[in-house]
Amino acid sequence: MNQPSSTLLPSASLRIGDLAPDFEARSTVGPVQLSAYRGRWLILFSHPADFTPVCTTEFVALASEAAAFDTRDCALMALSVDSLFSHFAWLRMIRDRFGIEVRFPIVEDPTLVIGRAFGMVSAQDNDSATVRTTFFIDPGGVIRAMTCYPANLGRSVPEMLRILDGLQAIDAHGALAPANWQQGEPLLMAPTHDLDEVFAASDATSWFLRGMGGQD
Ligand code: BEZ
């Protein structure tokens, strides 16, 4: 399987709430199919290129925290335009230099079919490299959050975990996560849609800004 088997179409307009396009491709752990991850959370993320400084720090950081994603029942899957053998050589270098084995799959996408379908290729640059796009995909295969960073700014693993924790908490409690929310802190209740409750509320804000107590 040298080409991803799929009917992927280019898209720059994937949105939160869309079903993640399915694909099958070669990766560093063998063939992978996105839809095979249904039932678990999945973070699919692209990086500009193997053997580059920021990307190397991201992979060391992510592989070091692999257990934290696993505990949250979340798989990681990386992707770039580089070939499978480039991925292998880079992972070997990371293992030898940093003592970290990257065991989550890194997909090869030399034809950019997957990168274009997910809008991971910069529309502005004439460069074929994917940018640092991250998709948080829920167990139903739905895109629940996306981030996009430029090539020269590395992602924050604590923020990736915080986004995942927030999505899982709001699903579990039917609630809202406020600014700077961290796991274990109080969530917010959805505001009422009932005018009688608005007038009956004890003060001017408690009908729409109300906590739920501490949750995981
Ligand atoms: C980096 O990962 O360091 C990088 C990749 C592409 C362009 C610039 C920096």
Side-chain angles (χ1 to χ4, degrees):
M1 188 200 329
N2 287 322
Q3 301 289 322
S5 80
S6 66
T7 52
L8 291 174
L9 296 172
S11 169
S13 58
L14 279 180
R15 296 274 186 265
I16 289 172
D18 288 348
L19 206 56
D22 195 19
F23 64 83
E24 191 179 352
R26 294 201 312 185
S27 86
T28 49
V29 300
V32 288
Q33 179 153 19
L34 190 102
S35 56
Y37 287 78
R38 293 272 171 87
R40 293 190 75 185
W41 286 82
L42 173 66
I43 297 179
L44 172 69
F45 63 100
S46 57
H47 65 281
D50 297 348
F51 294 100
T52 52
V54 177
C55 297
T56 300
T57 62
E58 284 189 331
F59 275 69
V60 170
L62 281 162
S64 303
E65 289 291 337
F69 290 95
D70 206 38
T71 301
R72 291 160 171 83
D73 199 22
C74 180
L76 297 170
M77 185 189 294
L79 177 147
S80 82
V81 299
D82 302 276
S83 73
L84 185 60
F85 296 103
S86 168
H87 292 336
F88 282 148
W90 188 40
L91 296 192
R92 174 63 199 250
M93 185 280 292
I94 288 174
R95 205 280 307 267
D96 289 1
R97 172 67 179 77
F98 298 98
I100 302 274
E101 291 191 359
V102 176
R103 290 292 184 170
F104 55 79
I106 309 180
V107 168
E108 67 166 3
D109 187 26
T111 58
L112 286 168
V113 175
I114 304 168
R116 287 195 205 287
F118 280 81
M120 292 164 161
V121 182
S122 171
Q124 279 79 42
D125 294 345
N126 289 328
D127 190 343
S128 65
T130 48
V131 287
R132 294 186 201 286
T133 313
T134 310
F135 291 90
F136 296 79
I137 301 171
D138 75 13
V142 174
I143 296 169
R144 298 290 302 280
M146 297 180 275
T147 66
C148 188
Y149 287 40
N152 47 8
L153 177 64
R155 281 164 282 218
S156 159
V157 176
E159 177 59 5
M160 292 169 74
L161 287 167
R162 194 192 76 91
I163 292 171
L164 181 61
D165 286 338
L167 293 169
Q168 292 183 343
I170 63 180
D171 282 3
H173 299 284
L176 314 170
N180 299 331
W181 180 87
Q182 298 285 345
Q183 192 174 34
E185 293 180 357
L187 294 164
L188 300 174
M189 286 168 70
T192 182
H193 291 178
D194 180 338
L195 183 61
D196 287 334
E197 286 186 21
V198 174
F199 288 143
S202 58
D203 60 54
T205 55
S206 58
W207 62 273
F208 77 95
L209 190 53
R210 47 193 180 162
M212 294 185 73
Q215 290 89 17
D216 287 328

